[in-house]
Every structure is written in C-alpha cells, then in structure tokens.
Amino acid sequence: MADNSITEISGQRVTSYDVARYAGVSQSAVSRCFKPGASVSKKMRERVMQAADELGYQPNAIARSLITRRSNLVGVILSDFTNLHYPEVLFELNQGFSKDAVHILLFTLRQERDIDEIIQQVFQYQVEGVVVASTLSLEQIDRFVKRNLPLVFFNRTIQDRSVNAVCCDQEAGERILVNSLVNAGHKSFGLISGPEDSLVSMQRTAGARDRLAGLGFDNVPIVQGDYTYESGQQGLRELMKRFENGPDAVLCANDVMAIGCMDAARNEYSMRVPDDISIVGFDGIAPALWSGYDLTTIRQPVQQMAEAAVEMVMERVNKPDKTPEMRVFSGVLQPGNSARIA
C-alpha cells in the first residue's frame, strides 16, 4: 500500500479517489474492481479490496446512478398477496436481477383495482423496467409505452394488446386436474373461484368448468372465493348446501383456499379426505406439501418463469425497440393425498 495514513481522511466520507491513493492505483482501476464483470487482474482486485476494507470504503450506488444516468432499479408489482408462492417469486427475481447488479423495488396491492395509484409511485423512482403480477388497462399500459419503460407481465396476459408476458398455462393445468379426477371415477364436482378482478382466477375457473362440460358435466356449481383460507372454508359450506352428501370433488382456484376447504371438510363435516371428498388446488406453495395436507395441485415452474421475466426486462432495457413476446410454461401435476386421481 501507499504511505498515506488512514487518519488523514478520518471523519470524512471515504471516496474512490482515497482508495486509489491509498492503494497506489488509478481511480479508474478502483471503479473497475467494483463493477460486476469488468476486466481486472486478480492481483489488482485483491490490492484494491484490501485498501477499501482498511479505509471502510463502500461504493455509493446513488452517486453512481447520477453519473451513469441509470438507476439500476426494477419495479416489481404484486397483487393477491394471499398467494403464498410470491415470496418464492420475489426470491427468484431478486437472484436473477442481482446478476446484472440491478435491484428490485417492491410495490404491493391489496386489490388489483388499486393499481393506478401504485403506477404513479413506480414512475417516481425512475426504475428501468417493471415486472407486474396484476392486470392493467390499455390506458395504463400506454403510460409505460409513452415513457419507453419496459413492462413484463408475470403470470398475466392481456387479450386485446400485444405485451411482454411470462405465464403458466392455467387452463391446461386445470384440464390435467379434471382429467385425473374424472378418470378416477368422480361423478359430482364443485368449483371455488378466486377474486372477481383476478384474470388468473377467471382463467383457472373457466378451464376447469369448460373441461368438465366437455366431459359431460354441465351446470357445475361455482362459488366465489377471494384466495384466502377463510373463503376456502366458506366455499365448502356453500357447496355442501347444493349437494345432499357433498360433491365428490372440489377444485379450488389456489392452494390456500384448498387448504381451508380441507380443514372445513374434516372439522365441520367429519369428512375423510380423500375417501369421502377429493380436494385439489393450484400453485404448488410450500404448505401444500405439509403432511397434514399433502395437497394434490398444479405446481407452477416459478424459477423458470422468473428467469424468463428477468431476461425479457433486461433485453428491453438494452434494446427498447424489441418486439413484445409471450413465454408460456406448463404447470406440473403434484399428486398428494388430498384427492383420488388416476
């Protein structure tokens, strides 16, 4: 190291120039050492990092963004937070963006209809792109287009507009569940849907209803849920009123409601699951694997979907004129002890 004394800069914010003088290198060499992927020798990196450690130096991300005119921030908007696989989604998105030294800002919605207020907040942070797990209107999408701000929908599609989207095939997943239940001999069915303003819920419910109708099961009762445990319980109560001994099988629009439905069946109606009633969900959240539930469900490929979302955002940050695309992933049947399937 150079002869510079640490005490000479004691009490002041240490800068990259201080580190450069202390290590006896150029300031640009210090910058390269802290830039992911930059070309720098192992010896140089070790020398600079030792000096930085001794001086207590940390790069100032805010200052760097002012210089580069890049915030290195991506907004993530999540709704339906009762859907417990979102922590996994956040983890995978964070892992992916971190590889490009990009960080996420999380914005959450209690209801999808609150999205307009959240969008305004997102714009204020000068993010470089947005991943959104919520439905947007065409007018709201145009606000992103006007700002040349890359937008990727996560597990959402827009029917009347070409947009960037990463999706699980909801209808195909429900067809798999219905086929497995029908092939196992179930004769009566009930559906518990999710929130009325959730496109994912509508797709799942329609997928199950349409497949059942195609197999000759018409007028299957559908009761309204809201993705919560309590609405799964209430959904079963309403279905029990429509069947003398309850339905043979209940398809729930997510795992949380399916777990609530199972508890209600056991605790309120003394039904054996799956001997007396089969219950299935959708998502593949961690609690679905707990031995007390062992839920039959469709597992969404969250890691692959998150990786695709990160890739699509970064591609459009670097090439803003890149055309929209949709990547669709298949869910996988996760058999459990909550349903008799074949």
Side-chain angles (χ1 to χ4, degrees), residues 88-109:
E88 182 181 357
V89 172
L90 279 175
F91 175 82
E92 296 296 346
L93 289 175
N94 186 60
Q95 290 286 100
F97 283 120
S98 292
K99 295 177 182 178
D100 292 303
V102 172
H103 303 281
I104 64 174
L105 285 178
L106 175 63
F107 302 85
T108 61
L109 293 167

Side-chain angles (χ1 to χ4, degrees), residues 144-160:
F144 286 86
V145 174
K146 183 178 180 180
R147 291 168 171 79
N148 293 318
L149 185 59
L151 178 67
V152 174
F153 286 87
F154 191 92
N155 218 15
R156 298 292 192 280
T157 57
I158 303 297
Q159 296 179 342
D160 301 322

Side-chain angles (χ1 to χ4, degrees), residues 90-277:
L90 279 175
F91 175 82
E92 296 296 346
L93 289 175
N94 186 60
Q95 290 286 100
F97 283 120
S98 292
K99 295 177 182 178
D100 292 303
V102 172
H103 303 281
I104 64 174
L105 285 178
L106 175 63
F107 302 85
T108 61
L109 293 167
R110 290 188 178 275
Q111 299 182 37
E112 294 199 6
R113 63 177 63 98
D114 299 330
I115 185 65
D116 208 54
E117 179 181 345
I118 295 297
I119 289 175
Q120 193 58 43
Q121 294 180 32
V122 170
F123 291 157
Q124 293 176 13
Y125 282 92
Q126 301 296 307
V127 298
E128 298 184 6
V130 175
V131 177
V132 57
S134 177
T135 302
L136 301 186
S137 68
L138 298 182
E139 185 275 332
Q140 289 165 339
I141 294 172
D142 284 338
R143 293 169 65 184
F144 286 86
V145 174
K146 183 178 180 180
R147 291 168 171 79
N148 293 318
L149 185 59
L151 178 67
V152 174
F153 286 87
F154 191 92
N155 218 15
R156 298 292 192 280
T157 57
I158 303 297
Q159 296 179 342
D160 301 322
R161 184 71 170 268
S162 294
V163 295
N164 302 300
V166 176
C167 303
C168 178
D169 193 333
Q170 317 293 345
E171 292 92 342
E174 291 291 348
R175 289 195 295 270
I176 292 172
L177 290 170
V178 169
N179 290 342
S180 299
L181 291 167
V182 172
N183 290 339
H186 295 79
K187 301 299 183 183
S188 60
F189 299 86
L191 306 180
I192 303 178
S193 68
E196 292 180 328
D197 61 353
S198 169
L199 179 60
V200 170
S201 169
M202 289 188 284
Q203 291 174 334
R204 292 177 182 178
T205 303
R209 179 201 61 210
D210 294 347
R211 181 54 182 159
L212 284 167
L215 294 173
F217 297 92
D218 296 313
N219 301 316
V220 174
I222 302 174
V223 298
Q224 186 74 51
D226 61 8
Y227 280 160
T228 63
Y229 172 87
E230 292 78 12
S231 70
Q233 292 178 303
Q234 182 60 31
L236 181 67
R237 296 182 192 117
E238 294 183 28
L239 289 174
M240 293 298 289
K241 298 175 183 177
R242 307 190 188 189
F243 296 88
E244 183 176 354
N245 296 309
D248 290 341
V250 178
L251 296 100
C252 302
N254 78 341
D255 289 347
V256 176
M257 291 193 302
I259 289 172
C261 185
M262 289 178 68
D263 281 345
R266 291 166 171 168
N267 301 329
E268 298 179 27
Y269 298 96
S270 300
M271 301 177 78
R272 297 170 298 167
V273 180
D275 295 337
D276 299 327
I277 185 171

